[in-house]
Amino acid sequence: MIAGIIDETNILPGRDCGPCALCCKVMRIEALGKPEGIWCPHCVPGKGCRIYETRQEECRIFYCLWRADPDLGDIWQPAHCKMVLYTEGMGHRLVISVDPGNPTKWREEPWYSQIKTWSFNLLRYGQVVVYVANRAIVVFPNKEVDLGPLKKGDVILTRENDGVWDAMLAAEDQLPQNQRGVWLDTGGRL
Ligand code: SF4
Ligand code: SF4
């Protein structure tokens, strides 16, 4: 799984967006005031961006993982699986951002087993989080923790305590001093 920044130099042959545009629905676009989970007013679903040449910087620099990661096969093509994968927190959080029109798609096979495998592999140094619009669900190998809606400034924290994994939200910089270093903090949402 690619953890670094993706730019046009990482894009694999044949991994074009085509008519996908799912990121224009699932992502928040700050400059447009567009929240997560609704179509951008500039998007024509199935066709693309009406203002492609003058689109926002946020749009220009975003490339989903499927476009660059050879480990993600065709089943992870976003328009097909209804999920957009990317990383946050300097690559320490794998995000599966699900189309709110298919909010439980990630629980279906073959995707669910792969998401659980990633959770197991990243457990000690990273997080796997499913977003459905602004709701965050942390995926652990043996359970999921639904954190509900994220507020601006919230960070997602995870920890292991006596073999039990847990997750919570905290306002940025509000974690008690004695809890710092106990929880893995990979920051807030993009
Ligand atoms: S989700 Fe990925 S493949 Fe689909 S339009 Fe966005 S960047 Fe392209
Ligand atoms: S401005 Fe264009 S590229 Fe950006 S989210 Fe809207 S439709 Fe997509």
Side-chain angles (χ1 to χ4, degrees), residues 21 23-25 27-29 32 34 38-44 48-52 54-60:
C23 53
C24 301
K25 181 177 185 184
M27 303 296 289
R28 181 179 68 242
I29 308 292
L32 296 174
K34 186 196 92 59
I38 61 165
W39 285 109
C40 171
H42 298 302
C43 184
V44 184
C49 178
R50 268 194 209 97
I51 58 161
Y52 188 77
T54 58
R55 67 198 188 284
Q56 309 296 327
E57 176 73 6
E58 289 164 86
C59 307
R60 291 177 183 276

Side-chain angles (χ1 to χ4, degrees), residues 134-147:
N134 73 338
R135 173 176 156 220
I137 302 158
V138 178
V139 180
F140 295 114
N142 61 345
K143 66 177 181 181
E144 292 97 44
V145 178
D146 189 340
L147 296 173

Side-chain angles (χ1 to χ4, degrees), residues 115-127:
I115 292 167
K116 286 288 185 179
T117 300
W118 289 328
S119 171
F120 180 81
N121 292 342
L122 292 174
L123 202 53
R124 300 278 159 194
Y125 60 92
Q127 300 171 340

